[in-house]
Amino acid sequence: NKIYNIFLKTLKKNESDNYYYQTILMHDDPNKNGTIKALPQIIEKLISLEYNIEPLTSNSHITKHIK
């Protein structure tokens, strides 16, 4: 799955840069179902790496876009 592979590449880069907090934004376009298909794999991978999965709230850590 292309989206899952992009996620893995980004995750590895962020881990090597020692980011403590990571925010993953996923879009829900009804015409594109790749995100929905990749989500179970992404969640499984994050859990296996012992990441905490939390919703964004007004108390969440402030993040910025990294290219």
Side-chain angles (χ1 to χ4, degrees):
N1 183 313
K2 182 179 178 181
I3 292 175
Y4 180 72
N5 291 332
I6 292 169
F7 157 75
L8 284 180
K9 182 179 174 185
T10 304
L11 183 65
K12 288 177 184 175
K13 179 197 180 309
N14 289 344
E15 285 179 339
S16 68
D17 290 342
N18 295 318
Y19 289 107
Y20 184 75
Y21 293 97
Q22 295 190 43
T23 302
I24 301 170
L25 297 177
M26 304 186 84
H27 303 281
D28 58 344
D29 182 338
N31 298 314
K32 298 179 181 177
N33 60 7
T35 300
I36 294 169
K37 288 180 181 177
L39 194 55
Q41 277 184 292
I42 291 171
I43 291 170
E44 189 174 303
K45 182 67 172 179
L46 290 170
I47 290 171
S48 76
L49 296 171
E50 299 182 357
Y51 277 83
N52 292 325
I53 300 173
E54 301 174 357
L56 287 176
T57 68
S58 59
N59 297 322
S60 295
H61 181 78
I62 297 172
T63 61
K64 65 177 185 175
H65 177 70
I66 300 171
K67 290 185 177 184

